[in-house]
């Protein structure tokens, strides 16, 4: 049975995985943005018409789940299986409430009456505590396009005298840019740091901080690259991937880096960190910055110089490809179709 996926924007991180399913016949898609515009009004009408003929409706991401206009449409559509796919946690939830000018109580019953899927255990724990104390949501991890393997080499090309550490993400407080600079400042002169992503919060203070670190070391130890249309090239050229996010519901970029055989250093505040448990050859989850500095000084070289580990990382990432994601989502939908009403 076909399912209708409602998403906010193709440029949203929340839509990245599920939009891979556009090529699959079992799903159709409807974009509904947050803005109140004439164009979006007609999208809502189209959503209503399309939803009349489809039983399963997947609301993908918090910008769709909390949209009051979408909820108004769904209220007049009886006998629908509403599935909420969460890619965000408390931080994004509070930001979304402010944007739509609604309260948690306005939407709590809607969430409790739907089937809920989370993209990590981290998100599941937050959602269960906030809305579903007596019912556990399902977990469906994000996926990547595993066909994009240009640049993967099973043998290491690392020059241990010049190690390149890469971060990919919006340059902002939440993604951990300040901690990124702290680690860069304390690491040896063999290790260079590059940040690629939109310069969302790259203010004068942070620019001066980068300049100060580079002047103290006598070379460009830290480079801010800005947004890149070709992250695959950056992944293939780096030696280590490191994103010290303060709040990361999942972190699909870690998977993308692993696809290129790169060792990843994951924030303990990321949903992805739970996938690295008992997998020391794939990456490292630090407890705090002191622990991370010690790891970089004493153990990092060993991890990035072993060729066998590169293949293991690549295969792990491939196991989180679109085909497995599609299969797991289809299985969950079938379970909800056969479930008794909530």
């Amino acid at each position: 049975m076909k399912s209708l996926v409602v998403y906010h924007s193709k440029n949203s991180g929340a839509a990245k995985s599920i939009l891979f399913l556009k090529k699959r016949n079992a799903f159709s898609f409807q974009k509904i943005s947050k803005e109140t515009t004439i164009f979006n009004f007609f999208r809502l009408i189209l959503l209503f018409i399309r939803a009349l003929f489809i039983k399963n409706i997947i609301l993908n991401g918090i910008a769709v789940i909390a949209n009051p206009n979408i909820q108004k449409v769904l209220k007049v559509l009886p006998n629908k299986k509403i599935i909420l796919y969460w890619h965000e946690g408390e931080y994004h939830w509070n930001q979304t409430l402010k944007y739509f000018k609604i309260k948690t109580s306005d939407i709590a019953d809607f969430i409790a009456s739907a089937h809920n899927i989370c993209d990590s255990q981290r998100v599941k724990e937050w959602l269960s505590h906030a809305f579903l104390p007596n019912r556990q949501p399902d977990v469906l991890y994000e996926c990547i396009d595993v066909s994009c393997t240009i640049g993967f080499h099973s043998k290491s090309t690392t020059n241990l005298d010049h190690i390149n550490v890469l971060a990919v993400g919006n340059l902002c407080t939440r993604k951990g840019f300040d901690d990124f600079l702290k680690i860069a400042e304390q690491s040896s002169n063999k290790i260079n740091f590059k940040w690629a992503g939109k310069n969302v919060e790259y203010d004068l203070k942070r620019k001066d901080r980068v300049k100060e670190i580079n002047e103290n070391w006598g070379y460009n130890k830290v480079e801010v690259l800005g947004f890149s249309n070709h992250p695959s090239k950056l992944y293939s050229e780096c030696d280590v991937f490191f994103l010290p996010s303060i709040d990361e519901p999942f972190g699909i970029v870690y998977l993308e880096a692993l696809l290129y055989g790169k060792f990843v250093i994951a924030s303990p505040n990321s949903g992805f960190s739970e996938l690295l448990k008992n997998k020391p050859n794939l990456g490292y989850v630090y407890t705090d910055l002191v622990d991370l500095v010690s790891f970089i000084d004493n153990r990092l070289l060993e991890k990035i110089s072993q060729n066998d580990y590169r293949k293991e990382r690549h295969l792990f990432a491939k196991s989180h490809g679109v085909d497995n994601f599609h299969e797991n989502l289809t299985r969950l939908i079938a379970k909800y179709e056969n479930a008794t009403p909530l």
Side-chain angles (χ1 to χ4, degrees), residues 220-250:
N220 289 338
K221 186 175 181 61
V222 178
E223 293 183 65
V224 175
L225 305 177
F227 178 76
S228 173
N229 287 316
H230 305 286
S232 58
K233 186 174 186 294
L234 296 173
Y235 287 130
S236 64
E237 292 177 350
C238 79
D239 302 305
V240 181
F241 184 83
F242 167 46
L243 186 67
S245 294
I246 295 172
D247 177 26
E248 191 71 60
F250 182 69

Side-chain angles (χ1 to χ4, degrees), residues 6-15 30-36 40 44 47 58-71 84-89 91-97 99-100 102 107 110-111 126:
V6 186
Y7 69 99
H8 162 58
S9 169
K10 66 179 182 180
N11 297 320
S12 166
Q30 178 64 56
K31 176 181 177 180
I32 303 289
S33 62
K34 295 188 296 184
E35 296 75 23
T36 304
N40 212 43
L44 288 164
L47 170 63
I58 302 173
L59 303 187
N60 184 75
I62 207 165
V64 173
I65 294 170
N67 189 322
N69 292 322
I70 293 176
Q71 291 174 44
L84 311 182
Y85 190 12
W86 297 83
H87 309 262
E88 305 89 355
Y91 170 83
H92 290 95
W93 177 251
N94 291 331
Q95 295 296 313
T96 304
L97 291 181
Y99 180 89
F100 287 122
I102 59 176
I107 194 175
F110 172 71
I111 295 171
W126 167 75

Side-chain angles (χ1 to χ4, degrees), residues 176-216:
F177 182 70
D178 298 316
D179 284 346
F180 188 80
L181 294 183
K182 289 177 183 177
I183 296 301
E185 184 177 38
Q186 296 179 55
S187 64
S188 76
N189 60 3
K190 291 183 177 181
I191 307 178
N192 303 320
F193 291 75
K194 298 181 180 182
W195 189 292
K198 293 180 180 178
N199 293 336
V200 178
E201 296 175 3
Y202 194 35
D203 54 18
L204 182 60
K205 183 177 180 181
R206 285 180 168 134
K207 290 178 181 178
D208 288 343
R209 185 84 175 93
V210 170
K211 182 179 179 181
E212 178 187 15
I213 292 172
N214 290 342
E215 287 179 349
N216 289 341

Side-chain angles (χ1 to χ4, degrees), residues 111-281:
I111 295 171
S113 65
H115 299 280
N116 289 269
I117 303 173
C118 302
D119 73 348
S120 68
Q121 292 289 339
R122 178 181 177 85
V123 173
K124 175 181 175 178
E125 289 173 5
W126 167 75
L127 186 66
S128 298
H129 177 75
F131 298 105
L132 304 168
N134 300 317
R135 183 158 51 90
Q136 291 296 306
D138 290 293
V139 172
L140 177 62
Y141 291 114
E142 305 278 3
C143 70
I144 55 174
D145 181 5
V146 298
S147 66
C148 299
T149 54
I150 299 171
F152 170 71
H153 304 282
S154 59
K155 292 186 178 180
S156 175
T157 57
T158 297
N159 180 347
L160 297 182
D161 291 326
H162 300 284
I163 298 169
N164 292 311
V165 175
L166 173 70
V168 174
N170 289 338
L171 195 160
C172 60
T173 300
R174 190 177 68 84
K175 292 292 184 178
F177 182 70
D178 298 316
D179 284 346
F180 188 80
L181 294 183
K182 289 177 183 177
I183 296 301
E185 184 177 38
Q186 296 179 55
S187 64
S188 76
N189 60 3
K190 291 183 177 181
I191 307 178
N192 303 320
F193 291 75
K194 298 181 180 182
W195 189 292
K198 293 180 180 178
N199 293 336
V200 178
E201 296 175 3
Y202 194 35
D203 54 18
L204 182 60
K205 183 177 180 181
R206 285 180 168 134
K207 290 178 181 178
D208 288 343
R209 185 84 175 93
V210 170
K211 182 179 179 181
E212 178 187 15
I213 292 172
N214 290 342
E215 287 179 349
N216 289 341
W217 280 94
Y219 73 102
N220 289 338
K221 186 175 181 61
V222 178
E223 293 183 65
V224 175
L225 305 177
F227 178 76
S228 173
N229 287 316
H230 305 286
S232 58
K233 186 174 186 294
L234 296 173
Y235 287 130
S236 64
E237 292 177 350
C238 79
D239 302 305
V240 181
F241 184 83
F242 167 46
L243 186 67
S245 294
I246 295 172
D247 177 26
E248 191 71 60
F250 182 69
I252 201 168
V253 288
Y254 296 115
L255 269 181
E256 292 173 344
L258 283 170
L259 188 63
Y260 290 85
K262 307 304 179 178
F263 187 82
V264 300
I265 298 176
S267 165
N269 303 311
S270 67
F272 185 81
S273 63
E274 62 207 44
L275 291 180
L276 292 180
K277 289 181 180 178
N278 302 317
K279 296 181 177 68
N281 298 336

Side-chain angles (χ1 to χ4, degrees), residues 263 265 284 291-300 303:
F263 187 82
I265 298 176
Y284 184 71
D291 170 58
L292 179 54
V293 170
S294 175
F295 174 82
I296 291 174
D297 288 344
N298 300 309
R299 296 167 57 194
L300 181 61
K303 294 297 183 182

Side-chain angles (χ1 to χ4, degrees), residues 322-339:
V322 180
D323 288 343
N324 284 344
F325 178 83
H326 178 218
E327 181 181 335
N328 291 329
L329 178 57
T330 301
R331 176 180 51 79
L332 288 175
I333 293 171
K335 183 178 82 168
Y336 302 147
E337 287 176 345
N338 297 323

